[in-house]
């Protein structure tokens, strides 16, 4: 009888140990965070998978356009559904900076000042120069445009594609870049923007113009370097030009969401994104100009000192955003 009680007690102890171990393991497996991103699945999936494998933290991804996600965060203010937002230009993060909280990543000293906010409310995960992408089968080398101003030539009417600046952060930066470069055109840059838009098919997504060039629907597209690089790497008949007048490099940004439900996991994700491992993956595998100074360029991209880069006034672009978009909408209805 005494032996039976001992066995019963032992079995109960073993069962209790297994239950507690199971609970502990379950808690670890269930640790998670939510990422809002305008990165395509080809960009965010490798990063998310590497983070999950390294930390055991599950990342739930919500994909959308930059503007759409920012408006969603604004609607969720006080009850944030996201922990981190990734993708979109720095000017968008500045315009909605009240939605984010500053955080200094572990390798902050390896990120140049132009790729992070002074108060660290956002970081540039990578740099994206604006380019003119072209279809090699439709545009002979000796007929290529040299820069922005050439896009106003009537021969490109209907053969040029760009995205809608009200829906695409990339297009908004392209507009601001032209306004900056051609500020003395008699209408503070708007004569140039208007002439380019008259020739362009304005599309609803930033992915459509480069896709159209790759497929031969358009001869030219305004896009960013990484889009053109991806189609070239896939064997598409495409190339790209860094405009001769100059072009802007924008940080494709990332920030912690204020009031996010999983702040510890979110900070770990931020640190991971700026680790050498993640930045080398971005460069080698994804074709992105890494923000870390110790990570080399992807094969096929021009070094920064071979591109005529201009610095945009992000504070001005942020303050003038609604006015710029208002003028842009007027152009589309003319």
């Amino acid at each position: 009888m005494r032996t039976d009680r001992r066995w019963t007690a032992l079995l109960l102890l073993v069962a209790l140990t297994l239950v507690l171990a199971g609970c502990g393991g379950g808690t670890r497996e269930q640790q998670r965070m939510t990422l809002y991103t305008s990165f395509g699945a080809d960009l965010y999936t490798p990063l998310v998978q590497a983070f999950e494998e390294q930390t055991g933290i599950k990342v739930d991804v919500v994909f959308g356009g930059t503007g759409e996600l920012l408006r969603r965060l604004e609607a969720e203010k006080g009850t944030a559904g996201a922990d981190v937002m990734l993708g979109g230009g720095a000017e968008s993060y500045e315009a909605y900076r009240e939605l984010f909280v500053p955080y200094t990543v572990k390798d902050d000293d390896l990120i140049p000042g132009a790729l992070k906010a002074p108060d660290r409310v956002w970081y540039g995960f990578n740099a994206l120069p604006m380019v003119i992408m072209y279809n090699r089968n439709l545009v002979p080398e000796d007929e290529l445009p040299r820069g922005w101003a050439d896009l106003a030539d009537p021969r490109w009417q209907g053969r040029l594609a760009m995205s809608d600046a009200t829906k695409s952060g990339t297009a908004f930066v392209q507009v601001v870049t032209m306004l900056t470069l051609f500020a003395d055109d008699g209408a503070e840059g708007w004569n140039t923007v208007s002439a380019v838009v008259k020739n362009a098919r304005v599309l609803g997504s930033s992915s459509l113009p480069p896709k159209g060039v790759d497929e031969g629907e358009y001869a030219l597209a305004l896009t960013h370097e990484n889009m053109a690089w991806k189609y070239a790497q896939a064997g598409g008949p495409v190339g790209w030009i860094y405009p001769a007048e100059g072009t802007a490099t924008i940080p494709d940004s990332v920030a912690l969401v204020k009031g996010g439900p999983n702040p510890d996991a979110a900070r770990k994700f931020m640190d991971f994104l700026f680790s050498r491992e993640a930045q080398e993956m971005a460069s080698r595998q994804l074709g992105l100009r890494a923000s870390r100074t110790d990570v080399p360029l992807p094969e096929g991209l021009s070094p920064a000192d071979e591109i005529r880069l201009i610095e945009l006034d992000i504070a001005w672009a942020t303050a003038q955003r609604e006015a710029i978009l208002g003028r842009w909408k007027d152009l589309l209805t003319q």
Side-chain angles (χ1 to χ4, degrees):
M1 199 72 167
R2 185 178 299 173
T3 301
D4 289 345
R5 285 198 296 270
R6 286 176 179 172
W7 273 109
T8 300
L10 180 60
L11 289 171
L12 287 171
L13 180 60
V14 170
L16 180 60
T17 302
L18 290 172
V19 168
L20 290 174
C23 289
T27 302
R28 185 175 180 183
E29 291 173 1
Q30 292 172 7
Q31 190 177 5
R32 61 203 309 132
M33 56 161 280
T34 299
L35 172 68
Y36 282 7
T37 184
S38 57
F39 273 15
D42 58 327
L43 295 181
Y44 74 70
T45 300
L47 294 166
V48 165
Q49 287 179 344
F51 175 74
E52 289 179 336
E53 290 170 6
Q54 185 180 109
T55 64
I57 298 170
K58 170 68 177 173
V59 180
D60 298 312
V61 179
V62 176
F63 170 78
T66 301
E68 172 193 352
L69 293 173
L70 287 169
R71 289 189 292 273
R72 179 168 176 169
L73 284 176
E74 192 169 43
E76 293 173 345
K77 197 183 301 182
T79 57
D83 298 291
V84 175
M85 179 160 166
L86 171 63
E91 82 291 338
S92 296
Y93 285 68
E94 283 292 336
Y96 289 86
R97 63 171 23 247
E98 75 279 357
L99 301 177
F100 305 108
V101 59
Y103 175 67
T104 301
V105 300
K106 287 182 179 179
D107 290 336
D108 175 83
D109 59 328
L110 291 169
I111 313 300
L115 295 177
K116 56 193 177 188
D119 63 352
R120 309 303 190 264
V121 76
W122 56 261
Y123 279 86
F125 176 67
N126 57 280
L128 286 174
M130 297 296 111
V131 302
I132 302 169
M133 181 177 168
Y134 63 93
N135 185 299
R136 297 183 187 276
N137 296 331
L138 299 178
V139 189
E141 291 290 326
D142 60 353
E143 295 181 12
L144 288 172
R146 295 184 63 253
W148 305 97
D150 291 346
L151 300 179
D153 191 311
R155 70 193 178 101
W156 300 120
Q157 188 166 20
R159 303 177 67 201
L160 166 68
M162 68 181 299
S163 44
D164 186 344
T166 63
K167 300 176 181 178
S168 163
T170 298
F172 179 76
V173 171
Q174 290 160 1
V175 172
V176 172
T177 300
M178 286 188 275
L179 293 176
T180 301
L181 286 167
F182 301 100
D184 60 354
D185 71 354
E188 298 180 325
W190 284 104
N191 282 338
T192 303
V193 174
S194 176
V196 172
V197 170
K198 282 180 182 177
N199 283 340
R201 299 288 180 88
V202 179
L203 308 178
S205 164
S206 59
S207 65
L208 293 177
K211 181 175 183 289
V213 168
D214 180 65
E215 294 175 351
E217 185 176 359
Y218 306 106
L220 305 174
L222 292 182
T223 186
H224 59 69
E225 179 185 68
N226 183 249
M227 277 286 193
W229 181 90
K230 285 192 297 184
Y231 281 107
Q233 289 294 111
V238 303
W240 64 92
I241 301 159
Y242 300 99
E245 304 96 336
T247 193
T249 296
I250 58 165
D252 219 343
S253 301
V254 57
L256 287 181
V257 177
K258 184 180 291 185
N262 305 288
D264 290 339
R267 287 189 287 268
K268 288 177 182 177
F269 188 70
M270 288 284 288
D271 286 335
F272 168 77
L273 287 179
F274 294 94
S275 67
R276 188 174 179 92
E277 174 192 353
Q279 291 276 303
E280 285 185 340
M281 179 188 298
S283 174
R284 183 179 62 254
Q285 186 175 333
L286 307 178
L288 295 169
R289 286 178 186 263
S291 56
R292 282 178 67 118
T293 56
D294 60 347
V295 174
L297 274 177
E299 185 177 351
L301 299 189
S302 297
D305 59 8
E306 295 181 9
I307 305 170
R308 188 170 183 178
L309 295 173
I310 66 167
E311 187 173 340
L312 296 184
D313 187 337
I314 292 178
W316 175 83
T318 301
Q320 297 297 315
R321 184 181 182 85
E322 293 306 315
I324 291 170
L325 292 178
R327 290 285 295 271
W328 169 262
K329 289 176 185 176
D330 290 342
L331 288 182
L332 298 186
T333 59
Q334 289 177 4

